[in-house]
Amino acid sequence: MLHLPASEAGATVSPLAAPRDRRHADGFRDLEGSICDCANMARIAANLMVESDRQQYPDDVFFAVTHVSEMFDALKAKYYAHFSGIKERGPDDDR
């Protein structure tokens, strides 16, 4: 028969875990302003390109600017979803 040593009820957490989690949470919250600023600037750049004469920009430049705007909007939405505690479901998640 296998005898396990007696242990306290519940799991123990390293004393270093709490400060590390706190730093991570603070860093995550500190990203909000930068993410919003980047999303807004990307949207402004994309809108300027769309509203101007589209022919003055090469197709790859137009694509890159408009796509980065879409990517920043998605990142901002994902940030707020995680910040609110909502996990986005991926295509492989059970429905």
Side-chain angles (χ1 to χ4, degrees), residues 1-2 15 19 24 29 36 45 47 49 82 94:
M1 177 186 244
L2 178 64
H24 184 261
R29 278 191 302 274
C36 290
N47 287 339
M49 290 185 87
H82 281 283
D94 294 327

Side-chain angles (χ1 to χ4, degrees), residues 77-78 80-95:
K78 188 173 185 175
Y80 282 118
H82 281 283
F83 191 76
S84 301
I86 301 167
K87 181 182 180 294
E88 289 186 3
R89 296 179 68 98
D92 297 330
D93 292 344
D94 294 327
R95 299 253 176 218

Side-chain angles (χ1 to χ4, degrees), residues 41-72:
M41 281 296 136
R43 189 176 311 112
I44 289 168
N47 287 339
L48 289 172
M49 290 185 87
V50 169
E51 292 171 0
S52 68
D53 179 18
R54 180 160 180 322
Q55 299 303 320
Q56 68 180 335
Y57 302 106
D59 288 342
D60 54 348
V61 172
F62 185 83
F63 169 78
V65 171
T66 55
H67 189 60
V68 79
S69 177
E70 294 167 355
M71 291 171 66
F72 267 115

